[in-house]
Amino acid sequence: MKYGFFDDANREYVITSPRTPYPWINYLGSEGFFSLISNTAGGYCFYKDARLRRILRYRYNNVPIDMGGRYFYINDNDSDEIWNPGWSPCKTSLDSYECRHGMGYTRITGSKFDLEASVLFFVPVGLDAEVQKLTLKNNGSAPKKIKLFSFVEWCLWDAMDDSSNFQRNFSIGEVEIDNSTIYHKTEYKERRDHYAFYSVNAPINGFDTSRDDFIGLYNGFDAPDVVMSGKPKNSVADGWAPIASHYIEVELAPNESKDFVFVLGYIENEFNEKFAPDIGASGTPHPTTSGGRTQNIVNKKRAHELIAKCDTSEKADKLLAELRAHWDELLSIYTVNSPDEKLNRMVNIWNQYQCMVTFNLSRSASYFESGIGRGMGFRDSNQDILGFVHQIPSRARQRILDLASTMLRDGGAYHQYQPLTKKGNHELGSNFNDDPLWMILSTAAYIKETGDVAILDEVVPYENKEELNASLLDHCKRAFNHVITKVGPHGLPLIGRADWNDCLNLNCFSATSGQSFQTTEGKDGKVAESIMIATMFAFIGPEYAKMCRIKGDETEALRAESEIAKMNEIVLKHGWDGEWFLRAYDDFGKKVGSKDNEEGKIFIEPQGFAVMANLGDTEKTLDSVDKWLNSDHGLVLNQPAFTRYILEYGEISTYPPGYKENAGVFCHNNAWLICAAAHVGRGDKAFEYYSKIAPAFREDFSELNKTEPYVYAQMIAGKDAGRHGESKNSWLTGTAAWNFAAVSQYILGIAPDYDGLVIDPSIPKDWDGFTAERTFRGAKYNITVKNPNKVSKGVKSLTVNGKAIEGNKIPAMASGEHEVEVILG
Ligand code: GLC
Ligand code: GLC
């Protein structure tokens, strides 16, 4: 069953029923100001950091699920029925409903009693504000008198404190009301230099800023007291829960329509310009303030400037046009036209869009990540770069340097950092021993995309301390050495707290409920080894050697290569189980992920990297993965699933079988097998795995899939689960970046390399071919791939502008448009 449809021409997903199987959301903003908005206008916004600069309040795990957002309440001709354009929270049945989630904007339209209300929500490029353009249109034959109420609820900035420290919070809320703008200035008079505001470009007939006055203590969002009675209370919040609601009386003749532009903005002021200089002295009317207080009036200059940029319909339309142009440009860098419509819409639109969102937010704020728990993950953010680097390389470059600055001198890294401070997070610390390798991979991806080798000479600190400055190449070197110097009894890399799989905690041994599996250290960590890290090393290590060679350090390149060869030998000796690669050795030195184990005989993670690195018997490895792990909804992480808690394995065995890391379809690692299958020429298999997890292919059974059909989810419940095929944790997942790499570089096979663009498709045999356009280092390549002999892989000939080229790499050309023809066979 579907709840909408893809409108590819407009790059939108159009939701036609508000009762989606879960809130289906979109993200607005991609620089400083971010909003999460559901298909019923639920959600919240924040500035840069969802924990420390939360602007709107949102209650997770609510009943009903998605309550709280930016709501417009409409009372038309004094009817008893009040309604919202997005159906919720009143849930009055509408005559029509539609939500269009597009690239950085969402448009929600509802109609009732011949009145159409359409709200366009977006964050303009370069502005720290959410613009809401509301259009009311009278489609009836009689004039209408409408009472319109806007509504947002302020969060008291620190989202953690906001949801826990009520004894303080209920006394500190402060607002100002100045004409049509409501200011939220809690804590501004002391140490904060920021405030938020909510304005509308029309005179208002009243307002409310106290939640309890607006809603009533015993009502819900669906029946606010003020809206039900049709009368604003002009309440001025003083403590408790500050909100912002404008009240506007609108008259509409038949066929008439009116626009209102609301702006929800965020402002930072310099310390010595925080307060209004002119109150009293110049005779400026005093704004209405909390407690009637006349001191500490906020300096509104910057708010006025921001509002002036979007205070007419025309200005809002122009800003939207700019946003669209921005996305046109970003999405023109890589486009494909293949025989598969769903693949096209993933590659051309939604997967790239999701890559931007994950790059911006890592795993911090979604409908499954509260924005409080974690900031930017070291391994996550490094991997996110793989799917984003072609879009805005300069931002990827900065991110790489920021991440490198949180590395430790021994080549390890702080596992997470806060986006606002960019400082490593001490609570979680380091010792996730896969972390360093991802630094090499992201740096390599950046150089391959841009050719900017100079990044390796950038001077970056360790531990965010300037006195510990060294080149980025030095950081990569220490990352590389981290793997080979921290080895266990077999000479394999020690696993640390965990490798990529946060839940395989071989040194934890936690028998006390409530302990964190990631930070409890039951063992000294000198025995448990990760074959996954070893196979990652086989795949990623050579990139370090290549970078050294590019920098002219042949000696170091040779040293690196010999270390890799050594490790590969050890992996083949101690890491191969006969038909697949082992997963690890535990703290007792026992095999994990072996045919000898009762449960968890085979794990997915090491297999893909080993195959991509041409390690061992690649065919046998892939056969085993297909035989043991394949399901109707993708490849599960391990088999058989764990049914009991295993002290020496940790969190992985806490999950019920089929969920999360315990035999769930963890989409992120499916991408590694898509890459691996494509790499060895199993184009049909690669496409099969791809189409099982790519959301557009799952749209037809949305009632089962549950999360948005336009973005990847972290996990689909595996075959052992009670709800096989149900997705969870959509949006913020490494799947976005990795699957974009898998489909664009491995299946379609258009892959940047240090010295050119490699074309090496691995496609389903029945495809006649495809065309693609790729802008790469300033030149544009119009690529036509023909498949006359119905093969999956193998470039028989390649011509550029009519001239044949040896091999399958197009040397980078500085500019111009180039016709590339590839014949497979
Ligand atoms: C989550 C984490 C990621 C980890 C993965 C597997 O997605 O963000 O860092 O690798 O789970 O445990
Ligand atoms: C990852 C895993 C999750 C685990 C968490 C611990 O996100 O997916 O299962 O609980 O890391 O931080």
Side-chain angles (χ1 to χ4, degrees):
M1 185 181 165
K2 300 204 288 183
Y3 295 80
F5 59 92
F6 286 94
D7 176 350
D8 293 338
N10 285 307
R11 301 195 184 116
E12 292 171 338
Y13 191 79
V14 188
I15 300 167
T16 49
S17 158
R19 290 175 184 269
T20 44
Y22 208 70
W24 284 359
I25 73 164
N26 194 11
Y27 283 83
L28 317 177
S30 59
E31 289 151 294
F33 192 106
F34 292 96
S35 296
L36 284 71
I37 181 164
S38 73
N39 58 308
T40 58
Y44 63 96
C45 46
F46 59 91
Y47 178 74
K48 282 194 181 164
D49 187 319
R51 170 166 174 188
L52 300 175
R53 289 285 188 283
R54 185 80 61 101
I55 297 169
L56 296 189
R57 180 172 287 153
Y58 191 72
R59 297 166 188 80
Y60 277 84
N61 201 1
N62 212 336
V63 181
I65 184 70
D66 183 32
M67 274 296 119
R70 47 306 252 171
Y71 293 136
F72 291 99
Y73 293 92
I74 293 171
N75 184 336
D76 177 2
N77 285 347
D78 283 325
S79 144
D80 293 342
E81 283 188 289
I82 54 169
W83 58 280
N84 316 99
W87 179 66
S88 194
C90 292
K91 292 188 259 156
T92 305
S93 73
L94 300 177
D95 297 336
S96 74
Y97 160 90
E98 183 186 86
C99 167
R100 290 180 171 259
H101 284 317
M103 304 289 105
Y105 67 89
T106 286
R107 189 190 298 274
I108 297 178
T109 308
S111 66
K112 180 94 189 160
F113 306 127
D114 292 328
L115 177 68
E116 186 182 274
S118 186
V119 202
L120 168 72
F121 301 88
F122 68 106
V123 173
V125 180
L127 297 190
D128 293 326
E130 178 180 308
V131 171
Q132 306 163 351
K133 182 183 159 197
L134 167 69
T135 305
L136 294 175
K137 177 153 193 280
N138 182 355
N139 287 328
S141 48
K144 282 182 178 293
K145 277 192 169 175
I146 298 145
K147 292 177 175 172
L148 172 73
F149 299 86
S150 69
F151 173 85
V152 297
E153 181 176 6
W154 304 115
C155 178
L156 306 185
W157 301 115
D158 179 340
M160 174 76 122
D161 191 72
D162 183 74
S163 50
S164 54
N165 193 9
F166 303 104
Q167 60 80 25
R168 169 178 162 84
N169 293 342
F170 285 161
S171 291
I172 62 172
E174 286 190 299
V175 297
E176 285 178 27
I177 302 103
D178 193 24
N179 296 307
S180 299
T181 307
I182 295 166
Y183 293 84
H184 175 230
K185 59 169 192 175
T186 302
E187 291 189 337
Y188 185 73
K189 84 172 196 322
E190 24 120 357
R191 291 155 298 171
R192 293 192 180 276
D193 60 2
H194 44 268
Y195 63 82
F197 67 84
Y198 192 34
S199 75
V200 57
N201 68 339
I204 57 174
N205 306 92
F207 61 85
D208 274 283
T209 64
S210 145
R211 188 190 70 209
D212 293 345
D213 282 307
F214 181 77
I215 294 188
L217 208 46
Y218 296 99
N219 296 15
F221 288 111
D222 59 329
D225 208 27
V226 157
V227 183
M228 300 304 281
S229 67
K231 267 199 231 59
K233 292 185 186 158
N234 296 345
S235 59
V236 183
D238 201 35
W240 296 106
I243 60 154
S245 171
H246 307 92
Y247 169 64
I248 306 176
E249 292 170 357
V250 189
E251 298 198 4
L252 286 178
N255 273 320
E256 194 189 1
S257 86
K258 277 187 184 156
D259 292 340
F260 298 89
V261 184
F262 292 79
V263 181
L264 181 60
Y266 171 88
I267 299 292
E268 280 178 6
N269 274 338
E270 298 294 332
F271 180 75
N272 54 2
E273 292 178 351
K274 278 176 66 170
F275 302 104
D278 53 354
I279 292 301
S282 68
T284 323
H286 190 277
T288 308
T289 54
S290 296
R293 288 183 279 279
T294 53
Q295 330 85 318
N296 305 319
I297 302 300
V298 299
N299 182 345
K300 305 182 174 63
K301 186 163 168 275
R302 291 185 183 179
H304 291 159
E305 286 165 4
L306 176 49
I307 294 168
K309 290 186 179 145
C310 17
D311 59 356
T312 65
S313 233
E314 294 69 32
K315 289 184 196 173
D317 292 346
K318 197 166 153 260
L319 290 169
L320 178 71
E322 277 171 29
L323 179 68
R324 280 185 177 268
H326 175 65
W327 275 103
D328 283 348
E329 203 182 305
L330 289 177
L331 295 178
S332 70
I333 298 165
Y334 191 124
T335 62
V336 65
N337 186 1
S338 84
D340 194 290
E341 181 192 45
K342 295 181 174 116
L343 180 144
N344 296 345
R345 69 168 58 113
M346 288 307 312
V347 173
N348 295 335
I349 308 171
W350 292 100
N351 195 349
Q352 295 200 58
Y353 183 60
Q354 189 178 0
C355 284
M356 167 72 91
V357 175
T358 56
F359 172 82
N360 285 328
L361 299 177
S362 191
R363 308 297 169 265
S364 66
S366 72
Y367 264 35
F368 300 88
E369 296 280 5
S370 66
I372 295 175
R374 24 187 184 172
M376 313 295 281
F378 186 87
R379 77 158 81 89
D380 296 334
S381 296
N382 271 302
Q383 291 171 84
D384 290 343
I385 284 172
L386 307 181
F388 171 78
V389 64
H390 65 292
Q391 294 185 2
I392 311 183
S394 58
R395 289 189 65 197
R397 188 181 208 272
Q398 187 56 50
R399 177 66 53 77
I400 288 171
L401 301 179
D402 288 345
L403 287 162
S405 310
T406 67
M407 282 180 66
L408 308 174
R409 273 169 288 181
D410 74 350
Y414 278 108
H415 195 53
Q416 291 168 358
Y417 73 92
Q418 280 312 119
L420 211 56
T421 62
K422 297 188 175 177
K423 294 257 161 67
N425 163 351
H426 283 277
E427 285 137 46
L428 192 53
S430 64
N431 290 334
F432 292 78
N433 284 351
D434 63 315
D435 275 346
L437 280 171
W438 302 115
M439 189 79 236
I440 298 177
L441 190 65
S442 66
T443 304
Y446 170 79
I447 298 174
K448 288 179 185 178
E449 179 65 37
T450 59
D452 175 17
V453 182
I455 193 175
L456 294 171
D457 300 324
E458 280 293 336
V459 175
V460 218
Y462 287 103
E463 297 170 35
N464 302 108
K465 294 186 186 134
E466 266 175 43
E467 61 273 25
L468 301 179
N469 275 349
S471 70
L472 180 64
L473 185 60
D474 187 70
H475 286 62
C476 291
K477 177 180 186 169
R478 294 192 196 195
F480 183 92
N481 289 345
H482 189 274
V483 178
I484 53 175
T485 52
K486 295 191 170 18
V487 292
H490 298 94
L492 289 159
L494 291 170
I495 197 165
R497 292 172 198 257
D499 58 26
W500 171 87
N501 189 331
D502 276 333
C503 299
L504 189 62
N505 317 113
L506 302 180
N507 293 306
C508 180
F509 285 67
S510 173
T512 307
S513 62
Q515 282 181 333
S516 155
F517 286 99
Q518 282 74 41
T519 55
T520 303
E521 285 172 335
K523 297 286 156 182
D524 64 8
K526 298 211 171 91
V527 180
E529 298 167 305
S530 164
I531 284 127
M532 177 193 184
I533 298 180
T535 57
M536 276 175 71
F537 186 69
F539 178 62
I540 298 172
E543 302 297 338
Y544 169 66
K546 286 180 207 164
M547 292 193 265
C548 292
R549 194 157 281 132
I550 290 174
K551 291 298 298 171
D553 193 346
E554 184 62 23
T555 321
E556 176 65 358
L558 291 172
R559 176 192 74 98
E561 282 163 352
S562 93
E563 291 292 351
I564 297 163
K566 218 160 81 190
M567 183 64 79
N568 287 350
E569 234 175 81
I570 297 174
V571 178
L572 291 175
K573 187 151 169 231
H574 297 294
W576 177 248
D577 198 48
E579 286 181 57
W580 56 81
F581 286 92
L582 294 172
R583 177 65 178 82
Y585 284 96
D586 68 15
D587 183 65
F588 303 112
K590 290 203 306 223
K591 292 174 184 174
V592 180
S594 158
K595 55 182 178 311
D596 304 341
N597 295 109
E598 221 173 282
E599 296 182 338
K601 287 174 186 292
I602 174 169
F603 283 69
I604 197 168
E605 300 102 321
Q607 322 303 338
F609 286 109
V611 173
M612 284 190 266
N614 303 316
L615 202 58
D617 190 336
T618 54
E619 296 295 326
K620 199 175 257 180
T621 304
L622 286 175
D623 286 345
S624 299
V625 167
D626 200 60
K627 176 174 153 203
W628 285 83
L629 305 178
N630 203 358
S631 80
D632 290 346
H633 296 281
L635 301 166
V636 301
L637 192 146
N638 57 295
Q639 274 299 294
F642 296 106
T643 56
R644 284 169 291 114
Y645 179 52
I646 303 176
L647 185 72
E648 62 270 30
Y649 286 8
E651 185 168 355
I652 191 166
S653 59
T654 66
Y655 286 114
Y659 290 102
K660 295 279 289 179
E661 280 87 340
N662 184 14
V665 175
F666 215 93
C667 298
H668 183 155
N669 58 38
N670 275 232
W672 302 333
L673 272 301
I674 297 168
C675 296
H679 176 70
V680 302
R682 296 188 180 194
D684 284 294
K685 269 291 160 198
F687 184 80
E688 177 196 325
Y689 299 153
Y690 174 73
S691 62
K692 281 180 175 169
I693 62 165
F697 292 81
R698 305 177 59 79
E699 185 198 14
D700 286 340
F701 49 93
S702 287
E703 75 288 1
L704 170 67
N705 188 56
K706 207 166 170 111
T707 56
E708 298 89 339
Y710 41 91
V711 288
Y712 288 101
Q714 180 205 52
M715 188 234 11
I716 303 170
K719 55 191 177 186
D720 305 285
R723 295 166 170 268
H724 183 36
E726 182 184 85
S727 298
K728 283 199 190 101
N729 310 345
S730 55
W731 280 99
L732 302 184
T733 161
T735 316
W738 267 105
N739 238 27
F740 187 69
V743 66
S744 66
Q745 300 187 22
Y746 285 80
I747 295 181
L748 300 170
I750 303 171
D753 204 348
Y754 294 97
D755 51 357
L757 195 60
V758 174
I759 316 277
D760 193 13
S762 189
I763 55 177
K765 289 196 188 66
D766 64 5
W767 280 18
D768 291 331
F770 64 90
T771 60
E773 292 175 12
R774 176 67 154 97
T775 302
F776 176 65
R777 299 190 198 174
K780 185 174 173 207
Y781 301 91
N782 301 320
I783 303 162
T784 303
V785 174
K786 294 185 175 158
N787 188 20
N789 299 321
K790 297 285 156 45
V791 299
S792 278
K793 189 175 165 116
V795 170
K796 202 162 94 185
S797 73
L798 194 162
T799 61
V800 181
N801 300 326
K803 283 203 205 90
I805 284 206
E806 270 295 307
N808 61 357
K809 189 185 290 179
I810 311 168
M813 305 181 207
S815 60
E817 218 168 298
H818 308 281
E819 303 304 315
V820 178
E821 193 177 91
V822 180
I823 315 265
L824 302 180

